[in-house]
Amino acid sequence: ENRPIPEPGPNEVLLRMHSVGICGSDVHYWQHGRIGDFVVKSPMVLGHEASGTVVKVGSGVTHLKPGDRVAIEPGVPREMDEFCKTGRYNLSPTIFFCATPPDDGNLCRFYKHSASYCYKLPDNVTFEEGALIEPLSVGIHACKRAGVTLGSKVFVSGSGPIGLVNVIVAKMMGAASVVITDISASRLQKAKEVGADFTIQVKNETPQEVASKVESVLGCMPEITVECTGVQACIQAGIYATRSGGTLVLVGLGPEMVTVPIVNAAVREVDIRGIFRYCNTWPVAIALLASKRINVKPLVTHRFPLEKALEAFETTKRGEGVKVMLKCDPTDQSP
C-alpha cells in the first residue's frame, strides 16, 4: 500500500489493476520461497493473471489510451534474441515474467507494463475473463503443441484450473471426446460443467489400471494426453494410456527427476512434448471470448477484495473451489 505509483516509460502504460487471479505458483512462492531454480531472495509482489484499466501511457504508445480496459500478458522479452525471432519468445532466457523472482507481479493497485503486452478488451469481455486469459493461454499452447484437431480423442490428467482450461480448449479445437481424471469428485463435476465427456475418479489404481480405465470409457486409446499434475504416477499413466504414434504433453511441474516407462513410449512412438507457459495466445483468447465460442466464467468460484488477500491465498492453499479472484480497484462497483 505504501509503494509509490510508478511512472510509465516511453513504451509502457500505467494501469489501475482490477482483477488478479491466484495461481498455484503464487501460493508456492508464498509458502516455499522458490520453484526450482527460481528463488525469492528479496520481497516480491505476487500475481500474474491480471486485467486493469489504462490510466497513463508513455510517449511512444499509440494503440492504447487512458480508459482502455486491457488484459496483461505477464511475459515480456527483454531482448530480440533467436527465440523472439522465431516467434517462441516464451523460451527467451532473459524474459521478464510477473511474479517470477526477481520480477515483481501485478497484485497491487497500480502497475506499469510494456504496452505491447497489454491487449485491449472488447466491451463484451469482462475484467475477470481478461484475467483468466493467462491460465486459458496455457490450455491454448498445450493443445496446439499436442496437435488437437477435428475428431481427436483426448485424455486430460488432473482437474485443477489448468486441466479444466485444457478441456475447454480441446473441445473448442474439435476434440470428439475428452476424458479427465482426478482424485476430487467436486473438481470432476466442474470438469463436466465445462465440457468433459467422461470423468474418472482415481483412488489407488496403478498407472496401468488408470490407462485401462481411460481406454474403456473412450472406447479406444486417446491419440493425445495432456498431463496437468506433474505427479510421477500420472505421467506414467499418461504414457501407458496414449495410443501408439500419439502425443503426450507435459504441462504439470513436479519433481525434477521422475521415473517413467520411457522404453514403452519409445517403442510405440509416443511423442513426449513439454510446454513452458505460452506465446502468441492473447489475441486468440480474446477473439474466442468476444465471440462467446468459449465460456471461462464457471472457473471463478471465489472473489475477495485486495484487503483480504491473505484470506484469498489461504483459500487457494486449501484447494477450495477452482479459481480465486482478487479485486484490486476499491472504486469499482461492478460485480
Side-chain angles (χ1 to χ4, degrees):
E1 288 298 324
N2 298 320
R3 292 159 60 89
I5 296 176
E7 189 68 25
N11 299 310
E12 295 177 326
V13 293
L14 176 65
L15 303 162
R16 178 188 285 275
M17 300 305 296
H18 188 285
S19 296
V20 181
I22 299 177
C23 172
S25 68
D26 292 319
V27 174
H28 202 83
Y29 280 126
W30 169 49
Q31 288 292 300
H32 304 286
R34 69 180 298 157
I35 295 178
D37 295 333
F38 297 107
V39 181
V40 179
K41 296 178 179 176
S42 58
M44 181 182 78
V45 179
L46 294 169
H48 60 268
E49 306 176 1
S51 63
T53 303
V54 176
V55 293
K56 198 171 190 179
V57 301
S59 58
V61 178
T62 57
H63 71 288
L64 293 172
K65 64 184 185 304
D68 284 346
R69 302 160 58 252
V70 298
I72 301 167
E73 181 172 1
V76 180
R78 285 187 168 97
E79 57 182 309
M80 180 55 72
D81 59 17
E82 58 183 309
F83 298 104
C84 294
K85 289 175 183 176
T86 57
R88 302 180 74 178
Y89 56 87
N90 58 311
L91 300 179
S92 176
T94 61
I95 196 168
F96 167 92
F97 197 88
C98 291
T100 295
D103 303 330
D104 279 331
N106 46 36
L107 181 52
C108 48
R109 300 273 187 223
F110 292 94
Y111 171 74
K112 69 174 182 177
H113 198 70
S114 168
S116 296
Y117 292 81
C118 293
Y119 301 83
K120 188 173 180 180
L121 292 173
D123 291 341
N124 68 338
V125 177
T126 67
F127 281 114
E128 280 193 357
E129 288 175 301
L132 288 167
I133 290 174
E134 196 279 342
L136 180 62
S137 288
V138 178
I140 294 171
H141 191 55
C143 287
K144 280 185 175 180
R145 292 272 290 157
V148 178
T149 188
L150 290 171
S152 295
K153 304 285 179 62
V154 179
F155 166 33
V156 176
S157 175
S159 190
I162 296 302
L164 297 177
V165 294
N166 273 283
V167 170
I168 292 169
V169 175
K171 295 292 286 187
M172 179 66 229
M173 290 175 72
S177 51
V178 176
V179 58
I180 188 166
T181 54
D182 203 276
I183 58 175
S184 165
S186 62
R187 290 206 163 187
L188 290 173
Q189 180 56 40
K190 180 65 73 170
K192 291 285 278 188
E193 286 178 37
V194 301
D197 298 285
F198 306 101
T199 62
I200 298 172
Q201 186 172 7
V202 177
K203 294 186 173 69
N204 299 312
E205 295 89 345
T206 66
Q208 292 95 330
E209 288 169 341
V210 172
S212 179
K213 285 191 172 186
V214 168
E215 180 178 5
S216 178
V217 298
L218 279 178
C220 62
M221 297 174 77
E223 304 103 319
I224 290 163
T225 297
V226 185
E227 208 300 298
C228 301
T229 72
V231 175
Q232 177 173 284
C234 297
I235 299 172
Q236 293 170 353
I239 290 175
Y240 290 130
T242 307
R243 182 185 304 180
S244 297
T247 303
L248 166 65
V249 174
L250 301 177
V251 182
L253 297 176
E256 183 179 0
M257 293 292 179
V258 294
T259 301
V260 294
I262 199 71
V263 174
N264 178 289
V267 299
R268 296 193 301 110
E269 296 191 5
V270 173
D271 293 342
I272 299 175
R273 294 186 161 198
I275 72 157
F276 186 61
R277 298 169 179 159
Y278 33 67
C279 57
N280 306 301
T281 54
W282 259 253
V284 174
I286 290 171
L288 290 172
L289 291 167
S291 64
K292 304 303 177 187
R293 296 298 302 278
I294 62 170
N295 180 19
V296 294
K297 291 178 181 178
L299 297 179
V300 181
T301 54
H302 294 74
R303 296 170 177 86
F304 294 89
L306 187 58
E307 295 81 4
K308 295 186 178 180
L310 183 59
E311 188 178 338
F313 270 78
E314 292 283 4
T315 301
T316 306
K317 179 187 170 187
R318 291 193 297 268
E320 295 177 18
V322 179
K323 179 58 65 177
V324 176
M325 194 70 66
L326 279 156
K327 193 168 169 179
C328 299
D329 183 358
T331 66
D332 186 275
Q333 299 303 312
S334 61

